[in-house]
Amino acid sequence: MNGFKDIEHLFRFAGLFVIAILVFLVVRGFIVPKSFGEYGHYRAAAIPQIAALPLHYAGHQACISCHSDIQAVKSKGMHAGVNCEACHGALEKHVLDPINVVPVKLNTAVLCVRCHAASAAKPKSFPQVNAAEHANGIACETCHNPHSPAIDAGGTK
Amino acid sequence: MTGVEGYMYPNEIRLYWSVLIVLYPYITGLVAGAFILASLERIFRVEAVKPTYRLALLTAMAFLLDAPLPLLFHLGHPERAWEMYFTPHKTSAMAMFGYVYLWYLMAVLTFEIWLDYRRDIVLRSQQTKGILRVIYKIMTLGSSNISERALNIDERVGWLVTLIGIPSAFLLHGYVGFIFGSLKSNPWWDSPLMPVVFIFSAMVSGIAAVMLFYMLLTKMRHKTIDMRCVDAIAMYMFYIFIIDFSLEMLDLVHRIYEANESFRSLNFLVHTKLYFSQIILQILIGTITPLVLLFITQVVKLPEIARKRMYTVSGILALIGIFAMRWNVVIGGQLFSKSFLGYTSYKIHLVTREGLLVALGLTMLPLIFLWILLKLLPPWEDEGAHAPAAGD
């Protein structure tokens, strides 16, 4: 009994540790979301939450169901692989109500250089121009049809 | 783009790891180094350094409390920091380090300090009044047993804790080097020598800091400096410094001899943007000069006052040199392009979240911690708790 008396304080310190670990586990139980780790290192319940968010993009299929004329032009040109909404922006609202929600007119001086401005970091095979020299202030769609931009392909408006 | 020469990939132009990430390994290094000095007395029974034993522990504690702050400032969102503990990612070195940090803080440093000071704490809890008495009472954890046998047991348990503490200190700081050394994307960092170099430079900086604190505080208390102690510390600092320097030179020679595809670019960097901080500050002023000074004190019999001055100067220079080393590693590693065709530059801001003022504040903060710890737990043998408490 006497032997324990002299190490009793060590147990007090150890007790502090045990309490700290218990508090940690309890707090962890409250803080960590229930569905954490179900599929991976994240909260599984986040998936339905995100899925329930309002849509902004309608998707290519939606556009071509009404604008098949544009798709017919586009699918033959160099922009075949570029999604409608990559240029026109998110248009779910327009799809739901095409008459009242009309997409805004695009400004090609801003739009086209977003992808085609010359930069050494882009692969050489990607078509790129120095807009100031190439267009000299004239709007791109004056010469290029945005939906089928190659000039020699006869896409000129 | 300002500050860019040649070709940089777009994501390389801005430096992501700022001066705070320089500060972080510097501070953990001081912790590890101070602790190793304390363990010299405890484990290796170097009696001469005994006067600094407790001071070294308190220094380690003060800097350890400060160590995570640069990271929190750098990352922002301190309220999310806990998630690293609650949902750690098992493949993340950083997440695992969170536990090493806690382990080191609680199981090693706090426990060792508590064991060593228990007698003082108990005596003070009986001698002081008011709020201090409450604080000391809490620190006793309700046990006032300071019998011969209990203290004897504390001594032996403390020894064991220090023994565990040495690898923990190595782990704490070796990991910082590991984080850099394991980045295969960056030829400036990618080296298995990195953790080893970090540990040895940490020891040098920690020992230098404790030595300087000891001399300064003894002067401020108008007591005489124990020259036997300072001589011993300086000797250890000298030896470890030599190992540290040799390792860094080994790394350098290896890079020069290997001369892989990054060499020309890095070589250019060292001769231009890093010339001052690497060649002048780190190697000439921060390493060679203190090494020469310490060498002189080892081979020539100098009078006390000359030794003191030389120790002080070499201690300060070593601290500067090792800060420069951290700077060159962290900032230097981000100044060149992975294309090896260009260089960017780092401009430190003054009053931003990662600016100069925050960095200075975080460097000063441990000194405030240390001051509080020194008030609460005076490490000096000549004014222990047996003296009348009114003196404090």
Side-chain angles (χ1 to χ4, degrees), chain A residues 2-10 12-14 16-17 24-25 27-29 31-33 36 41 119-122, chain B residues 7 10 85-90 99 106-107 110-111 114-115 118 140-143 145 147 149-150 153-154 157:
Chain A
N2 219 5
F4 178 72
K5 217 182 108 224
D6 287 332
I7 53 168
E8 179 237 346
H9 60 278
L10 296 178
R12 285 174 186 262
F13 197 93
L16 217 83
F17 252 79
F24 172 82
L25 290 177
V27 173
R28 186 177 185 279
I31 283 190
V32 176
F36 184 89
H41 199 78
S119 158
K122 289 178 188 163
Chain B
Y7 179 70
Y85 288 112
F86 289 135
T87 54
H89 211 297
K90 288 173 206 68
Y99 294 107
M106 297 309 300
T110 308
F111 192 35
W114 185 71
L115 284 176
R118 224 171 54 78
T140 62
L141 297 182
S143 158
N145 181 0
S147 68
R149 189 160 169 272
I153 291 172
D154 285 356
V157 175

Side-chain angles (χ1 to χ4, degrees), chain B residues 300-347:
Chain B
V300 186
K301 252 192 109 49
L302 291 167
E304 219 178 275
I305 183 80
R307 290 210 306 275
K308 270 189 222 163
R309 290 202 177 132
M310 284 170 97
Y311 292 158
T312 311
V313 172
S314 27
I316 292 173
L317 289 184
L319 283 179
I320 294 175
I322 285 163
F323 184 81
M325 179 257 182
R326 312 291 194 233
W327 175 279
N328 294 324
V329 168
V330 176
I331 303 295
Q334 302 173 82
L335 290 180
F336 63 92
S337 166
K338 188 74 202 291
S339 67
F340 304 130
L341 294 174
Y343 305 88
T344 186
S345 39
Y346 175 55
K347 183 169 175 297

